[in-house]
Amino acid sequence: MKLATIRSGSPDGRLAVVSDDLRLAVDATDVAGSMREAIERWADVEPELRAIAARLESGQAPGAFHFEQEQCAAPLPRAFQWCDGSAFLHHGRLMERAFNVEPIPESDSIPLMYQGAGDDFIGPREDVYLPDETHGIDFEGEFGVIVDEVPMGVSAQEALKKIRLVVQINDWSLRALGPREMRSGFGFLQAKPSTSFAPVAVTPDSLGEGWQNGRVCMHLNIDWNGEHFGRPFGGEMHFHFGELIAHAARTRRLSPGTIIGSGTVSNESGDLGSACIAERRVIEIIDSGAAKTSFMRFGDTVRMEARPAAASKTEHGPFGVIEQRVVAAVYGNPNGAQV
Amino acid sequence: MKLATIRSGSPDGRLAVVSDDLRLAVDATDVAGSMREAIERWADVEPELRAIAARLESGQAPGAFHFEQEQCAAPLPRAFQWCDGSAFLHHGRLMERAFNVEPIPESDSIPLMYQGAGDDFIGPREDVYLPDETHGIDFEGEFGVIVDEVPMGVSAQEALKKIRLVVQINDWSLRALGPREMRSGFGFLQAKPSTSFAPVAVTPDSLGEGWQNGRVCMHLNIDWNGEHFGRPFGGEMHFHFGELIAHAARTRRLSPGTIIGSGTVSNESGDLGSACIAERRVIEIIDSGAAKTSFMRFGDTVRMEARPAAASKTEHGPFGVIEQRVVAAVYGNPNGAQV
């Protein structure tokens, strides 16, 4: 089953069921007003939502309309909790070299994870307002899961059963602000502005071969300003999502609608490229002694689309497409947007 | 004006207006169903809520009932954003000695702040379920503000105008888990379980002399297992709340209902005691070479109540009282609670 949130006047938007080929959608607000409400009442609403999805696939859904990814907010436009891991260890090791910090002890046995800001997620085609090019504007392509309520102390295997939806994420990062916040020990705050999401959230069963062992086994295709940047493979996650959830729930329960991220997709072999500029820059430094690639400039665009390992060129990725432009924010306006 | 959230079957509870002496309350769900809704529609609802408060003070509020702090959830039982500063520099300097870490550069000009978990706050009289005494269970008494929407790049002075409510907080901390998470650079996650709040949220104007220069100028009285522990003074904050809000909003807007915390109240002069055990332990180490005070044990209680600087012994603190017991969690139950 595929779900999306259509933008509306309300902060949580309107829930829609989306067809498997992302061409059609049906309003589902009779079942649950919003994605957030659906996640909070999942056991109640899932059968009805799946019934709508089945009617949509069989061409018998009244009120079906053309699904426009441009109309979408993030699947959860806001969440009470967003925790982002760093489960691709190769990325972490490269970043340690980039930031010139000591290797983190036990990073292959205890997941790294930061608490992110969930109050104001960015839709897949919305402009991204940021205040300063000198902050080192970078994208980070990754995957995430939206969970049901998770009890404190859950095991990694039990945690896998709490995954309701899988999502695709662009975790915007301001690289010039990161090192200071890391050195403080308090973690990322200004270095992690609002996060973007692809339009469609997918139940694990609907990903088929793309969901194995608690990992998204798909390539994440990334274009920067229309040029291919990388297509790393999500199946190489060291910790699976159940392990990440269990880490987050060790000393507290997680409320339904908590989003857990994988961290930047990254592969040991560099053949498939990277999912963020910082990683490419570190590889350049290692290879040639200096970074050649600059961070993003205002007006730049990034496009991200996850695709099955063996997909044809024409097949849509299950999460739809993130395609965004970075724009200079004007201080004093509500979201920094120019008026 | 004083507001509270009465526990109900719903995650956000029911909004109530509370009398200045905390003896009476009136249900306000006709105006806004919940505190969260009130904050999100503040300009619309504030006049009506203030009218109810005025009627309550004049003894003419239909439906007034005895206000029971025991019935309260946290003022916001969940929030889309919770960012906690460390604005009492004395505490930070002591903690650096405790964790044996390098002083953080510029900590007197750039606030320290971590992104916290807002999905599951604990009410003022609820038991606090935690998994393990060896985690170094500690309380942290502090103050916080709940803000309206804040634009990206807001100035510290403009940010002060966005403060809608002031709250009193117990920021539970697991000290044994903190150093590893700080060293990782990713910040606190397991070391900061769910946070507790006093029952009453107060508009700044209703704090009188207790709110000056963007700071809560009150003593925070703390008892541990019925014995006096400390009564440090909140007015000694190095950064005022406007500066903390501006720090959080430097690279993104803040959505309405964001909570910004002061960090543990702490004074240069040790005469008034501390607001957390960790600080007392560091002082013991400095004074005598060894920590004498242990962290909390299961069954321990902590009581926190802010009181005006010149309050009589009988006067209530404006935020009401946090009084909680720490209980061993049982893994596998929803909130770790024993069943």
Side-chain angles (χ1 to χ4, degrees):
Chain A
M1 180 169 60
K2 295 178 175 171
L3 302 174
T5 294
I6 311 292
R7 282 203 302 269
S8 69
S10 79
D12 293 314
R14 295 172 67 84
L15 180 66
V17 177
V18 181
S19 66
D20 204 49
D21 62 5
L22 307 196
R23 290 176 189 278
L24 293 174
V26 176
D27 185 278
T29 52
D30 283 352
V31 181
S34 66
M35 186 83 75
R36 185 162 68 77
E37 187 187 332
I39 289 288
E40 291 177 7
R41 301 197 295 116
W42 188 256
D44 289 341
V45 305
E46 185 188 8
E48 289 181 80
L49 294 175
R50 287 195 182 268
I52 292 174
R55 287 198 294 274
L56 194 54
E57 292 309 314
S58 64
Q60 294 166 344
F65 56 86
H66 284 285
F67 178 61
E68 305 278 0
Q69 299 186 31
E70 294 76 9
Q71 304 292 319
C72 288
L76 281 175
R78 50 185 189 169
F80 289 107
Q81 183 158 232
W82 154 231
C83 295
D84 197 12
S86 183
F88 292 86
L89 298 192
H90 183 62
H91 175 74
R93 294 193 192 110
L94 287 171
M95 296 305 282
E96 283 164 8
R97 293 173 72 162
F99 288 141
N100 195 24
V101 295
E102 291 292 308
I104 299 166
E106 305 171 298
S107 59
D108 59 347
S109 58
I110 304 176
L112 283 170
M113 186 175 286
Y114 73 89
Q115 192 90 37
D119 69 313
D120 187 30
F121 292 136
I122 303 170
R125 307 297 171 91
E126 293 179 84
D127 285 342
V128 178
Y129 292 92
L130 291 170
D132 194 333
E133 281 181 340
T134 70
H135 286 171
I137 300 167
D138 199 359
F139 46 83
E140 279 198 8
E142 55 180 276
F143 298 104
V145 295
I146 305 176
V147 299
D148 208 330
E149 178 161 316
V150 175
M152 187 193 294
V154 71
S155 71
Q157 283 306 310
E158 283 299 310
L160 286 174
K161 301 175 188 167
K162 302 297 183 183
I163 296 171
R164 296 292 167 258
L165 294 164
V166 184
V167 292
Q168 181 195 310
I169 297 170
N170 181 4
D171 178 39
W172 290 100
S173 297
L174 301 175
R175 300 299 183 187
L177 304 180
R180 184 188 177 281
E181 293 189 332
M182 291 190 81
R183 278 195 300 272
S184 80
F186 276 49
F188 305 115
L189 194 106
Q190 296 178 340
K192 293 286 186 183
S194 298
T195 302
S196 300
F197 288 73
V200 182
V202 186
T203 54
D205 61 284
S206 294
L207 289 174
E209 295 291 305
W211 178 256
Q212 296 177 49
N213 306 312
R215 297 167 173 88
V216 179
C217 293
M218 302 177 67
H219 290 272
L220 186 53
N221 287 267
I222 297 173
D223 297 333
W224 177 16
N225 290 332
E227 293 187 12
H228 175 74
F229 186 82
R231 52 185 294 272
F233 182 62
E236 206 174 299
M237 267 173 93
H238 178 78
F239 300 104
H240 65 65
F241 276 109
E243 292 172 295
L244 297 181
I245 296 164
H247 180 81
R250 185 176 172 215
T251 60
R252 60 191 185 200
R253 65 178 168 187
L254 310 180
S255 63
T258 291
I259 307 174
I260 305 286
S262 68
T264 315
V265 179
S266 176
N267 300 148
E268 293 283 341
S269 157
D271 297 351
L272 298 175
S274 297
C276 68
I277 300 171
E279 185 173 302
R280 176 183 277 190
R281 284 167 55 89
V282 178
I283 293 169
E284 289 169 348
I285 291 169
I286 293 167
D287 287 350
S288 68
K292 287 176 284 192
T293 306
S294 301
F295 289 111
M296 294 181 88
R297 309 295 298 265
F298 292 137
D300 280 10
T301 59
V302 65
R303 183 186 192 281
M304 297 184 178
E305 183 182 19
R307 298 180 69 96
S312 73
K313 287 253 176 188
T314 54
E315 193 177 327
H316 281 283
F319 307 103
V321 175
I322 292 174
E323 188 155 17
Q324 297 186 297
R325 187 174 56 134
V326 175
V327 177
V330 175
Y331 271 175
N333 293 332
N335 65 349
Q338 288 160 316
V339 286
Chain B
M1 178 168 63
K2 294 177 176 172
L3 302 174
T5 294
I6 311 292
R7 282 203 302 269
S8 69
S10 80
D12 294 312
R14 294 171 66 85
L15 180 65
V17 177
V18 182
S19 67
D20 204 48
D21 62 6
L22 307 196
R23 290 176 190 278
L24 294 173
V26 177
D27 183 279
T29 52
D30 283 352
V31 181
S34 66
M35 186 83 76
R36 186 160 68 76
E37 187 187 332
I39 289 288
E40 290 178 7
R41 301 196 296 116
W42 188 258
D44 290 341
V45 305
E46 184 189 9
E48 289 181 79
L49 294 175
R50 286 195 182 269
I52 293 173
R55 286 198 294 274
L56 194 54
E57 291 310 314
S58 64
Q60 294 167 344
F65 55 89
H66 285 286
F67 178 62
E68 305 278 1
Q69 299 186 31
E70 294 76 10
Q71 303 293 320
C72 289
L76 280 176
R78 53 185 186 168
F80 289 106
Q81 184 159 232
W82 153 233
C83 295
D84 197 12
S86 183
F88 292 87
L89 298 192
H90 184 62
H91 174 75
R93 293 192 194 110
L94 287 170
M95 296 304 282
E96 284 165 6
R97 293 175 70 163
F99 288 140
N100 195 23
V101 294
E102 290 292 307
I104 298 166
E106 305 172 297
S107 60
D108 59 348
S109 58
I110 303 176
L112 283 171
M113 185 174 287
Y114 73 89
Q115 192 90 35
D119 68 313
D120 187 32
F121 292 136
I122 303 170
R125 307 296 171 92
E126 294 178 83
D127 286 342
V128 178
Y129 292 92
L130 291 170
D132 193 335
E133 282 181 340
T134 69
H135 287 172
I137 301 167
D138 199 359
F139 46 83
E140 280 199 7
E142 55 179 276
F143 298 104
V145 294
I146 304 176
V147 299
D148 208 331
E149 178 161 316
V150 175
M152 186 193 294
V154 71
S155 71
Q157 283 306 310
E158 283 298 310
L160 286 174
K161 301 175 188 167
K162 302 297 183 183
I163 296 171
R164 297 290 167 258
L165 294 164
V166 184
V167 292
Q168 180 194 311
I169 297 170
N170 181 4
D171 179 39
W172 290 99
S173 297
L174 301 175
R175 301 298 184 187
L177 305 181
R180 184 190 176 280
E181 294 188 330
M182 291 190 82
R183 278 195 301 272
S184 80
F186 276 49
F188 305 115
L189 193 107
Q190 295 178 340
K192 293 287 186 182
S194 298
T195 303
S196 299
F197 287 74
V200 183
V202 186
T203 54
D205 61 284
S206 294
L207 290 174
E209 296 291 306
W211 177 255
Q212 295 176 49
N213 306 313
R215 296 168 175 87
V216 179
C217 293
M218 302 178 68
H219 290 272
L220 186 53
N221 287 268
I222 297 173
D223 297 335
W224 177 17
N225 290 334
E227 293 188 10
H228 175 74
F229 186 82
R231 52 184 293 271
F233 182 61
E236 206 175 298
M237 264 173 95
H238 178 78
F239 300 104
H240 64 67
F241 277 109
E243 293 172 295
L244 297 182
I245 296 164
H247 180 81
R250 184 176 173 217
T251 59
R252 62 192 186 197
R253 65 179 169 187
L254 310 179
S255 63
T258 291
I259 307 174
I260 304 286
S262 69
T264 316
V265 178
S266 176
N267 299 149
E268 292 283 341
S269 157
D271 296 352
L272 298 175
S274 298
C276 68
I277 299 170
E279 185 173 303
R280 176 183 275 189
R281 285 168 55 89
V282 178
I283 292 168
E284 289 170 348
I285 291 170
I286 293 167
D287 287 351
S288 69
K292 288 177 282 194
T293 307
S294 300
F295 290 111
M296 295 181 86
R297 310 295 299 263
F298 293 136
D300 280 11
T301 59
V302 65
R303 183 186 191 282
M304 298 185 177
E305 182 183 21
R307 298 181 69 98
S312 73
K313 287 254 178 191
T314 54
E315 191 176 329
H316 281 282
F319 308 102
V321 175
I322 293 174
E323 187 156 20
Q324 297 184 296
R325 187 174 55 132
V326 175
V327 177
V330 175
Y331 272 176
N333 293 332
N335 65 348
Q338 288 161 315
V339 286

